[in-house]
PDB file of all heavy atoms in Angstrom:
ATOM      1  N   TYR C  54      -7.247   8.870   4.430  1.00 94.00           N
ATOM      2  CA  TYR C  54      -6.150   9.808   4.657  1.00 94.00           C
ATOM      3  C   TYR C  54      -4.862   9.045   4.802  1.00 94.00           C
ATOM      4  O   TYR C  54      -4.859   7.967   5.360  1.00 94.00           O
ATOM      5  CB  TYR C  54      -6.339  10.652   5.921  1.00 94.00           C
ATOM      6  CG  TYR C  54      -7.507  11.565   5.900  1.00 94.00           C
ATOM      7  CD1 TYR C  54      -8.783  11.085   6.128  1.00 94.00           C
ATOM      8  CD2 TYR C  54      -7.348  12.928   5.670  1.00 94.00           C
ATOM      9  CE1 TYR C  54      -9.882  11.919   6.098  1.00 94.00           C
ATOM     10  CE2 TYR C  54      -8.419  13.748   5.594  1.00 94.00           C
ATOM     11  CZ  TYR C  54      -9.719  13.305   5.822  1.00 94.00           C
ATOM     12  OH  TYR C  54     -10.764  14.137   5.793  1.00 94.00           O
ATOM     13  N   TYR C  56      -0.821   9.420   6.118  1.00 96.00           N
ATOM     14  CA  TYR C  56       0.186  10.203   6.858  1.00 96.00           C
ATOM     15  C   TYR C  56       1.426   9.464   6.873  1.00 96.00           C
ATOM     16  O   TYR C  56       1.476   8.256   6.601  1.00 96.00           O
ATOM     17  CB  TYR C  56      -0.289  10.403   8.294  1.00 96.00           C
ATOM     18  CG  TYR C  56      -1.460  11.262   8.538  1.00 96.00           C
ATOM     19  CD1 TYR C  56      -2.756  10.755   8.359  1.00 96.00           C
ATOM     20  CD2 TYR C  56      -1.361  12.587   8.950  1.00 96.00           C
ATOM     21  CE1 TYR C  56      -3.897  11.534   8.547  1.00 96.00           C
ATOM     22  CE2 TYR C  56      -2.445  13.374   9.175  1.00 96.00           C
ATOM     23  CZ  TYR C  56      -3.695  12.881   8.937  1.00 96.00           C
ATOM     24  OH  TYR C  56      -4.820  13.681   9.167  1.00 96.00           O
ATOM     25  N   GLN C  58       5.334   9.166   9.154  1.00 96.00           N
ATOM     26  CA  GLN C  58       6.087   9.487  10.394  1.00 96.00           C
ATOM     27  C   GLN C  58       7.502   9.147  10.196  1.00 96.00           C
ATOM     28  O   GLN C  58       7.869   7.980   9.998  1.00 96.00           O
ATOM     29  CB  GLN C  58       5.492   8.767  11.575  1.00 96.00           C
ATOM     30  CG  GLN C  58       6.117   9.197  12.933  1.00 96.00           C
ATOM     31  CD  GLN C  58       5.451   8.550  14.088  1.00 96.00           C
ATOM     32  OE1 GLN C  58       4.906   7.435  13.994  1.00 96.00           O
ATOM     33  NE2 GLN C  58       5.495   9.209  15.208  1.00 96.00           N
ATOM     34  N   SER C  61      10.959   9.579  14.875  1.00 84.00           N
ATOM     35  CA  SER C  61      10.003   9.707  15.966  1.00 84.00           C
ATOM     36  C   SER C  61       9.297  11.097  15.968  1.00 84.00           C
ATOM     37  O   SER C  61       8.786  11.534  16.980  1.00 84.00           O
ATOM     38  CB  SER C  61      10.753   9.535  17.325  1.00 84.00           C
ATOM     39  OG  SER C  61      11.278   8.294  17.425  1.00 84.00           O
TER      40      SER C  61
ATOM     41  N   GLY U 216     -13.282  15.733   4.009  1.00 77.00           N
ATOM     42  CA  GLY U 216     -12.165  16.259   3.198  1.00 77.00           C
ATOM     43  C   GLY U 216     -11.084  16.940   4.024  1.00 77.00           C
ATOM     44  O   GLY U 216     -10.645  16.422   5.016  1.00 77.00           O
ATOM     45  N   GLN U 221      -5.347  16.218  10.177  1.00 93.00           N
ATOM     46  CA  GLN U 221      -4.790  16.422  11.499  1.00 93.00           C
ATOM     47  C   GLN U 221      -3.320  16.966  11.352  1.00 93.00           C
ATOM     48  O   GLN U 221      -2.588  16.435  10.513  1.00 93.00           O
ATOM     49  CB  GLN U 221      -4.789  15.181  12.299  1.00 93.00           C
ATOM     50  CG  GLN U 221      -6.153  14.685  12.699  1.00 93.00           C
ATOM     51  CD  GLN U 221      -6.180  13.565  13.612  1.00 93.00           C
ATOM     52  OE1 GLN U 221      -5.561  13.610  14.711  1.00 93.00           O
ATOM     53  NE2 GLN U 221      -6.773  12.443  13.227  1.00 93.00           N
ATOM     54  N   ARG U 228       8.260  13.232  25.140  1.00 97.00           N
ATOM     55  CA  ARG U 228       8.760  11.949  25.525  1.00 97.00           C
ATOM     56  C   ARG U 228       8.781  11.855  27.034  1.00 97.00           C
ATOM     57  O   ARG U 228       9.536  12.553  27.686  1.00 97.00           O
ATOM     58  CB  ARG U 228      10.145  11.783  24.920  1.00 97.00           C
ATOM     59  CG  ARG U 228      10.047  11.422  23.383  1.00 97.00           C
ATOM     60  CD  ARG U 228      11.125  12.043  22.620  1.00 97.00           C
ATOM     61  NE  ARG U 228      10.913  11.815  21.147  1.00 97.00           N
ATOM     62  CZ  ARG U 228      10.093  12.496  20.385  1.00 97.00           C
ATOM     63  NH1 ARG U 228       9.415  13.485  20.894  1.00 97.00           N
ATOM     64  NH2 ARG U 228       9.910  12.126  19.135  1.00 97.00           N
TER      65      ARG U 228
END
Side-chain angles (χ1 to χ4, degrees):
Chain C
Y54 295 80
Y56 293 81
Q58 186 175 28
S61 298
Chain U
Q221 293 186 56
R228 283 143 184 82

